[in-house]
Amino acid sequence: MAVSSRREILNDLKTALKMICVANGYQSNVQEVRRGVYGYDQMLSRPALCFFNTMATTEESSMSGQSQRVLSITIRGYVDITEDGNYDPLDELVADVEKLLMSPSTWSRQGWTQVKNLRIFEGLLSDKVGVFEMDIQVTYRYDWASP
């Protein structure tokens, strides 16, 4: 496990999520990826993804200046739903994000990443939007002795 920073992991995640498109072997063509908490009404080019860090937990620390941490991240996805209530695009986007996170060719931290929870919302109020939230955890080494 390489020494990383929270910032590096979040930047790498944004770069990786932007790769989700049919031309790269996925089912979805993601139109927008943002870091931060955004609602479906703020992400109008869909399918869209946003992600945000919810916690960083230190699992072990040593006098050498390194700690092992677990970074908790929520990935939220939005898709438009057609009049007939077809939620296939939502399921496809979920599958695409999982595929990306489990592939070492697209996510170098794949061996240290776990998908913990998945929440699916099939339609928001009267809007034709499908939403998912996926909680992931990325384990990494942090060098607190270096600036």
Side-chain angles (χ1 to χ4, degrees):
M1 178 182 327
V3 174
S4 299
S5 72
R6 186 182 74 86
R7 180 184 57 203
E8 289 170 333
I9 293 168
L10 295 172
N11 287 342
D12 289 351
L13 180 60
K14 185 174 186 178
T15 299
L17 291 172
K18 286 181 175 182
M19 294 173 48
I20 297 176
C21 66
V22 172
N24 288 336
Y26 296 94
Q27 301 172 88
S28 308
N29 281 311
V30 170
Q31 301 297 308
E32 187 174 6
V33 176
R34 292 188 190 181
R35 178 178 168 188
V37 180
Y38 292 92
Y40 74 98
D41 56 334
Q42 296 170 300
M43 302 192 75
L44 301 177
S45 299
R46 297 185 279 260
L49 298 166
C50 68
F51 64 95
F52 45 95
N53 176 207
T54 57
M55 185 184 329
T57 306
T58 302
E59 289 191 333
E60 64 181 56
S61 190
S62 70
M63 297 306 289
S64 68
Q66 286 192 351
S67 296
Q68 180 170 310
R69 289 194 174 158
V70 176
L71 188 63
S72 298
I73 301 166
T74 297
I75 301 170
R76 188 180 290 162
Y78 301 102
V79 299
D80 291 319
I81 303 303
T82 59
E83 287 296 322
D84 63 357
N86 180 0
Y87 287 93
D88 290 351
L90 182 59
D91 296 330
E92 290 166 357
L93 185 57
V94 169
D96 286 342
V97 172
E98 286 184 306
K99 176 182 174 180
L100 177 128
L101 292 173
M102 296 302 123
S103 174
S105 64
T106 54
W107 180 241
S108 63
R109 292 169 173 84
Q110 148 292 316
W112 303 292
T113 301
Q114 291 182 310
V115 175
K116 301 303 276 186
N117 299 302
L118 177 62
R119 292 173 297 282
I120 304 275
F121 306 96
E122 293 183 342
L124 279 176
L125 305 172
S126 63
D127 295 313
K128 302 287 188 210
V129 179
V131 180
F132 78 85
E133 289 183 342
M134 180 183 295
D135 297 327
I136 68 170
Q137 291 183 334
V138 182
T139 303
Y140 69 105
R141 288 231 171 257
Y142 174 70
D143 187 350
W144 52 267
S146 296

